[in-house]
Structures are given as structure tokens and as C-alpha cells.
Amino acid sequence: DRAGMRGGKFKVNLLGQEIWVGGDIVLSIQGTTCDAPHDFNKIKEQLAALQPGESINLSVLRAGKSIELTIAKD
């Protein structure tokens, strides 16, 4: 929320599980894509190395367009 991300607007049932859809889709964090499970370990390491107040950069897909969001680490 502090970064300006938008959550899903619609609840749907997918394979017996309710999920929210229609919000931002995270494409990358700190320049590392979220394509594969091993990418998440790299992202966790990058975020852990940041000092409080340093910027966290997110790229998200919103309404078909890629946008950049920035938030300071607590």
C-alpha cells in the first residue's frame, strides 16, 4: 500500500480456491524478475542488504502497462 500498489478488485474461484484478481502484477523487485523460484532467493538477499531508508524499486504491470514504484525500506 505504501508503495502505491493496487490489490485485486474481484474475488474468483480457481480450482476450488478463492483468489483476488485485477490488481498489479509484480514483474521485478530491485531489477530482478520474478520468473523463477531461484529469483526469490536473490530478491530476499538484495532486500536484506538494504539499510533502513534506502529505496526498494518495483516494476509492476498495471492495466497493460509497466510502471515503476519506489518505497523506502523500514
Side-chain angles (χ1 to χ4, degrees), residues 2-5 26 28-32 43-44 46-60 68-74:
R2 288 184 14 232
M5 290 185 68
V26 178
S28 69
I29 302 172
Q30 295 300 91
T32 300
I43 291 168
K44 286 177 14 181
Q46 290 173 318
L47 295 178
L50 292 174
Q51 298 300 312
E54 287 188 299
S55 294
I56 300 171
N57 301 304
L58 306 164
S59 176
V60 301
E68 303 298 319
L69 302 172
T70 303
I71 186 171
K73 180 179 179 181
D74 288 338

Side-chain angles (χ1 to χ4, degrees), residues 6-35:
R6 297 182 184 168
K9 298 176 185 177
F10 309 100
K11 191 186 301 186
V12 299
N13 188 310
L14 181 66
L15 301 174
Q17 195 168 22
E18 287 187 341
I19 60 170
W20 288 93
V21 297
D24 291 343
I25 299 171
V26 178
L27 301 174
S28 69
I29 302 172
Q30 295 300 91
T32 300
T33 64
C34 303
D35 294 338

